[in-house]
Amino acid sequence: MATDELASKLQRRLDIEDEPAHEPRAAATEEEKPPTAAADNELSAKLARRGELNEGSAEPQQRSLRVFNPYTEFKEFSRKQIRDLESIFRRYDAGKDGFIDLMELKLMMEKLEAPQTHLGLKNMIKEVDEDFDGKLSFREFLLIFRKAAAGDLAEDSGLHVLAQLSEIDVSTEGVKGAKTFFEAKLQVISDANKFEQEIKEEQEEKKKQAEEKKQKRANFKELQSAFK
């Protein structure tokens, strides 16, 4: 009986090995699609997204949580130039929400005595609006000046006018007689030593201010004790 059972198992094994393999056909994945098809789909999705945002039928995408550091990303500007640009940005960010929206940009251009049409303002934002939210972040604001410095803005564009009329004192950067930011040649910081030197100067200035404050307190206590 044991022999019959063993013979049965062996026969079953042979029958299984003789059966043709029928594996289910896997569904096509994104990797199997032609590269051109994937690129076309991505471009179509971006264009559709932009159209929906322009028509107001879609909500802007959530912003990236990546920390933006202007000093490392915009190395063509010195630390002082970035602080000056940030000061201008904050001046016109009336809502204090970290963005310059359409109405704030309208007010900004009017104060710069270069008013734009509603369509002109929208086109200004669109030219550097990387996340399609219809307003300018500080990073996108810096992109305006990067593009202007590189000559990537049309001379008759609103952004070019904005860049020209946004005056920044660059005299401390060693450029004599410069009245506006773009009358001076941008000093490209290709070497970390200059960046470190600027930080060192800031630290020394803070240390000097702290020592002066400490000396004033000491003088006040000395004067106070003289009247006791």
Side-chain angles (χ1 to χ4, degrees):
M1 187 172 185
T3 304
D4 293 342
E5 185 178 352
L6 178 60
S8 177
K9 287 184 177 180
L10 288 173
Q11 185 61 44
R12 178 61 181 162
R13 174 69 62 87
L14 290 172
D15 292 341
I16 291 174
E17 290 178 354
D18 289 339
E19 290 178 0
H22 296 286
E23 294 182 0
R25 191 171 186 273
T29 61
E30 286 296 328
E31 289 76 8
E32 294 173 343
K33 292 180 181 179
T36 53
D40 289 343
N41 290 340
E42 183 179 357
L43 179 58
S44 297
K46 286 185 177 180
L47 290 173
R49 174 71 179 167
R50 180 132 212 172
E52 290 173 356
L53 288 169
N54 289 340
E55 293 171 3
S57 60
E59 292 294 327
Q61 294 177 346
Q62 186 175 2
R63 293 181 172 274
S64 170
L65 297 178
R66 181 173 65 87
V67 176
F68 163 57
N69 187 334
Y71 300 110
T72 57
E73 187 168 344
F74 290 82
K75 291 183 179 180
E76 64 266 40
F77 303 133
S78 71
R79 290 172 64 84
K80 183 184 183 303
Q81 288 168 343
I82 289 177
R83 287 197 301 271
D84 288 344
L85 285 168
E86 186 176 15
S87 177
I88 292 174
F89 182 84
R90 289 180 175 177
R91 186 190 313 162
Y92 293 102
D93 176 19
K96 305 304 177 187
D97 58 355
F99 302 98
I100 292 179
D101 61 24
L102 189 70
M103 293 307 297
E104 289 167 340
L105 181 61
K106 179 178 184 293
L107 179 61
M108 180 180 187
M109 297 307 293
E110 287 174 353
K111 286 191 174 181
L112 292 174
E113 298 183 354
Q116 303 289 312
T117 64
H118 184 77
L119 180 59
L121 293 166
K122 289 184 70 174
N123 288 335
M124 286 174 66
I125 292 176
K126 188 181 294 185
E127 193 162 351
V128 290
D129 187 13
E130 293 188 328
D131 53 9
F132 308 147
D133 64 352
K135 51 189 176 181
L136 299 176
S137 65
F138 180 51
R139 182 182 182 282
E140 291 164 344
F141 186 72
L142 288 177
L143 286 177
I144 297 172
F145 295 87
R146 169 179 281 176
K147 283 176 174 285
D152 292 338
L153 298 175
E155 291 188 3
D156 59 347
S157 72
L159 291 186
H160 188 268
V161 173
L162 186 156
Q164 282 190 319
L165 295 177
S166 299
E167 294 190 359
I168 298 176
D169 181 14
V170 291
S171 59
T172 57
E173 304 302 320
V175 183
K176 304 296 183 181
K179 295 181 180 179
T180 64
F181 181 79
F182 288 100
E183 287 176 342
K185 292 183 179 179
L186 289 177
Q187 311 261 331
V188 179
I189 306 175
S190 56
D191 155 357
N193 291 334
K194 183 174 181 180
F195 187 76
E196 292 174 0
Q197 180 63 28
E198 289 179 339
I199 294 177
K200 185 177 179 181
E201 288 174 358
E202 288 180 7
Q203 291 173 339
E204 289 177 352
E205 180 63 25
K206 289 179 180 178
K207 184 178 179 181
K208 180 181 177 182
Q209 291 176 357
E211 289 175 351
E212 290 176 351
K213 191 174 181 180
K214 183 179 179 181
Q215 185 61 43
K216 286 181 180 179
R217 283 200 301 265
N219 292 341
F220 178 77
K221 288 183 179 179
E222 184 178 349
L223 182 64
Q224 192 177 40
S225 61
F227 287 94
K228 290 183 179 179

